[in-house]
Structure formats: structure tokens, C-alpha cells
Amino acid sequence: MTRLRWGMIGGGEGSQIGPAHRLGALADGQFDLVAGALDADPDRGRDFARRLGIAPDRAYGDWQEMLEGERNREDRLDLVTVATPNATHFEITRAFLQAGFHVLCEKPMTMTVEEAEEIVCVARDTGRICAVNYCYSAYPMVREMRAMVRSGQIGKVRLVVTNFSHGHHADAADADNPRVRWRYDPALAGNSGQFADCGIHAMHMASFVTGDQVERVSADFVSAIPSRVLEDDAMVNFRMAGGTVGRLWTSSVAVGRQHGFDIQVFGETGGLRWASEQPNQVWYTPLGGRTQIIEKGEPGLSEDAARLSRVPIAHPEGFPLAVANIYVDLAAAIRGETRDGIPLAEDGLRSVAAIHACVSSARAGGQWVDARPPMFR
Ligand code: NAD
């Protein structure tokens, strides 16, 4: 089988998410990295691209140059990843979709609901895949939880409780550090800080595992460090279309919490728990029974969890391999196979709508607000 041709925008040297994309995309021999506009600084981008083995004529200074250079090649790209800061996602993703490329965009997909709806429409009109990197949903044991919920092992889901709370922006003396400050500056981050950064991963996970969609939200946003315009802590209550009750806490000032992403699903006949810091286990408690720990790699896992595990039981698989699972399914989808579970533009749109609904709710003292994107109402 020939390898697919892959290009990246953003994710330059020293970026946070760039290495996870490269480790993930290249993990299974499905993709070759053949083009890139990797950095906001054209020279740094070209230099880094060459050091990664990209041919000089495909080491671009910016994304517009990459679009022009790639659109008419016979060996054009099969997939473009957009891993730039949030405010640039819309323009780049739309341009590459319109030129007929499949795209994997980082979250949040866009800054506004209108832009997100436009991306959904462009993907539908062009027939191209637009995926969004909700990579936590691709951990094998998250897939196991989803399979257990789907097969009725915990009965009807009553409650989903999820947290994505860390303490890495808790130092008030560091609040003016440029790498931290932009995340709470509306000009650069949009209308939400911590919820848009981490909370949407948790909200996506709640929908992904329960199979239910968020309908209404009531949010309480706080800037625990008062100089911040945008929130660094948020509590969001939500209600889902199928009746599931949701609770979500996200924070960047929770000193002592490291990655701090976990989810619990409580059904009528059992409960499940998964945490990103112990990603190879799911805790399962049947009603009236003992808690069991289900391990990645053990016999009897769902087909999805088993196929997305690579190394044997008790050997850790972490974040880059969760990203690899997104890429392996994208490769299959690009080759025309059906794959269930790839987070798509519709999921990106739901998140952007949820961000805006939470901001409105928080400004209105926690009033319940419709969180569905207009095109899904
Ligand atoms: P970062 O600031 O660490 O790196 C951004 C990179 O993009 C840098 O290399 C920068 O030079 C480059 N860049 C900026 N503007 C560019 C442009 N116009 N053209 C080409 N390159 C450009 O940021 P990050 O933390 O890596 O975040 C990037 C994106 O990834 C954000 O949207 C963020 O929300 C997302 N992210 C997602 C996850 C996840 O788990 N899915 C984790 C971290 C970050």
C-alpha cells in the first residue's frame, strides 16, 4: 500500500503540539511528511522543515505559499494538518478544504459559530474530510468505555462528570509571561480562556463516551488571577438531548493537579471512570458489585479498543499514540474505508457553539443557554 502524503502548517520547533502530530502521523507507516509551513517566522519554518527531511521546494515560508505550491502538483498532499494558534484555524482550514485537500485542524476549530458552520458547509460541499484533533477520544480505553456504554453495560446513563483542571497558570507572578498571557487576552484567544483551551476537550469527551449531545449549559466563569480578562477557572453544568446530566470543571489554577483530565459516567446499573494520567485503565463498578480495573491489552476488550492498542498489556501507551489513532483512522478514511469515531467538523462546531453559550451564560449569572449550533436546532 502506498504511503499517503502529509503536510503540516504550524507545529514548528519548540511548539507544544507539533511533536505529538509528527510522532502520531508517522507511527504506523501510513504517512510521509513531505511539505510544511511550520513556523510564523518563514526562515525558521523552512529551516526546520529541511531538518525534518522535507525537500527544499516543499519547505514553505507560509501557508499561502504552501497552498499555491501544492494545489497543482501531481503528487499533491493527501492530508494537511493545521496546528497554528486558534485565530488562524478558520482561514487556513477553509482555504485548504476549498482547494480539495483533506484537513485535520487543531481545536478550537474556529473563533466564531458562523465560521464553524461555514467549515462544516465547505467540508460537505467539497466532500473533503475535515477532522478536529480531539485526540483524547482516541485512547484505547476511552474507546472501551464508549463500547461498554453502547452495549448497555452500565444501563441508561444518568450522569457524566468530567474535569480538565491543572495548576500550570497558577503563579500570579508569572501571569505576564507572554507564553501564558495570550491565553487570557481576548484579542488573541477570543472570548474564552480556560474553557476554550481545555474545557472543550472534556465536553467533547462527555458526548463521545455517552453518545449524547449537549443541549443547554449554565456556566460560572472566574478569573482567579484578577488581572486576567478571560476566565482561568470554569464550572459548567449541562443537559444533554437524551436526558443525561453533565457536570464539568476546568481550571488552570488548580495547584497540584498536573494534567488533570478525567471522566466518570454513571448509569442505572454501573459506573465507569477514566483518567488521562492512568490512560491504560478503566474502572468499572457494576451496581451492587465490586470495582474492577480493566486493562488495555487484556483479552475480551471491544474491537475498537483492541485494534487501537499497539504494545502488550502493562506497557504504557500515551498521548502521541492517541494522536496516532486519529491519524490511522484518517488514513483509512482517506483510502475510502468507513471509520466510526473520527472527530469531525460537526464536533468542532458543537464545541465552538458551546464556548459561546458558556460565555453568554456566565455573563448572565449562570442563566441556562441553548448550546446547540443554529444549523443543528
Ligand atoms: P505554540 O504557540 O506552542 O506553537 C504554535 C506554532 O505555530 C509555532 O511553531 C508557531 O511558530 C507556529 N505558527 C504560528 N502562526 C503560524 C502561521 N500563521 N503559519 C505557520 N505557523 C505558524 O502553540 P501550541 O500549544 O502548539 O498550539 C497550537 C494549536 O494546537 C492551538 O490551536 C492549540 O489549541 C492546539 N493544541 C491542541 C492540543 C490537543 O490536545 N489537541 C494540545 C495543545 C495545543
Side-chain angles (χ1 to χ4, degrees):
M1 195 184 292
T2 52
R3 288 175 180 238
L4 298 171
R5 289 178 289 270
W6 175 53
M8 267 194 101
I9 301 164
E13 193 165 29
S15 67
Q16 192 185 135
I17 198 66
H21 280 283
R22 286 184 285 278
L23 289 165
L26 304 179
D28 296 285
Q30 297 279 349
F31 291 97
D32 283 324
L33 178 58
V34 299
L38 302 176
D39 204 287
D41 178 310
D43 290 335
R44 270 175 54 92
R46 285 195 196 96
D47 175 60
F48 186 46
R50 287 179 194 141
R51 280 187 282 124
L52 288 173
I54 293 175
D57 67 321
R58 298 178 95 171
Y60 298 101
D62 59 48
W63 68 266
Q64 290 94 341
E65 193 183 301
M66 179 161 150
L67 184 61
E68 289 319 308
E70 292 296 320
R71 70 158 83 230
N72 294 320
R73 289 183 74 107
E74 278 189 14
D75 59 348
R76 77 205 299 264
L77 296 169
D78 297 297
L79 177 69
V80 175
T81 291
V82 179
T84 51
N86 304 353
T88 62
H89 293 173
F90 170 63
E91 198 184 11
I92 303 175
T93 298
R94 182 180 59 175
F96 277 85
L97 287 170
Q98 283 172 336
F101 295 96
H102 300 297
V103 175
L104 171 60
C105 180
E106 265 304 342
K107 43 56 60 179
M109 185 170 79
T110 61
M111 304 293 273
T112 70
V113 179
E114 292 74 22
E115 290 169 349
E117 290 197 332
E118 193 175 333
I119 294 289
V120 169
C121 292
V122 173
R124 289 178 181 177
D125 290 348
T126 57
R128 300 293 87 184
I129 300 167
C130 180
V132 182
N133 193 30
Y134 289 112
C135 46
Y136 299 99
S137 65
Y139 273 100
M141 298 314 281
V142 171
R143 297 300 176 96
E144 182 65 15
M145 282 180 95
R146 183 175 75 144
M148 291 177 75
V149 172
R150 278 183 169 178
S151 66
Q153 288 191 53
I154 63 167
K156 181 170 167 41
V157 175
R158 291 171 171 151
L159 273 173
V160 57
V161 180
T162 180
N163 305 291
F164 195 158
S165 300
H166 64 81
H168 302 299
H169 302 156
D171 185 354
D174 194 42
D176 273 341
N177 171 344
R179 290 207 62 189
V180 175
R181 194 181 50 211
W182 75 264
R183 294 170 190 276
Y184 306 97
D185 177 351
L188 298 171
N191 59 356
S192 164
Q194 178 61 15
F195 182 73
D197 197 28
C198 294
I200 58 171
H201 273 299
M203 193 169 263
H204 174 265
M205 180 81 89
S207 294
F208 186 82
V209 170
T210 62
D212 209 350
Q213 294 293 354
V214 175
E215 244 184 21
R216 291 179 297 134
V217 296
S218 162
D220 180 25
F221 280 13
V222 166
S223 298
I225 294 186
S227 63
R228 288 179 177 154
V229 177
L230 300 178
E231 85 288 353
D232 52 20
D233 185 281
M235 185 66 86
V236 179
N237 281 307
F238 55 95
R239 297 286 187 276
M240 306 181 91
T244 308
V245 173
R247 320 254 185 230
L248 185 160
W249 172 47
T250 186
S251 184
S252 66
V253 295
V255 180
R257 285 182 68 108
Q258 297 302 332
H259 192 245
F261 185 9
D262 55 48
I263 181 162
Q264 289 180 274
V265 187
F266 303 106
E268 287 176 350
T269 60
L272 295 165
R273 174 178 186 270
W274 177 87
S276 68
E277 292 174 35
Q278 295 91 32
N280 299 315
Q281 287 91 31
V282 165
W283 280 257
Y284 165 53
T285 312
L287 182 69
R290 284 195 173 143
T291 298
Q292 303 162 29
I293 297 176
I294 305 171
E295 290 277 348
K296 176 191 72 66
E298 73 182 22
L301 295 182
S302 65
E303 187 275 330
D304 213 20
R307 93 183 158 82
L308 295 174
S309 306
R310 290 172 180 71
V311 294
I313 189 165
H315 291 73
E317 283 181 53
F319 185 70
L321 287 182
V323 177
N325 290 338
I326 297 283
Y327 278 97
V328 90
D329 277 353
L330 273 175
I334 291 168
R335 296 184 201 282
E337 291 171 32
T338 305
R339 284 294 157 95
D340 158 47
I342 300 174
L344 294 170
E346 285 79 358
D347 302 293
L349 165 60
R350 286 186 191 280
S351 295
V352 176
I355 292 168
H356 286 266
C358 285
V359 170
S360 302
S361 169
R363 285 183 184 154
Q367 206 170 37
W368 285 92
V369 171
D370 193 333
R372 294 169 301 168
M375 72 188 284
F376 295 160
R377 283 182 195 173

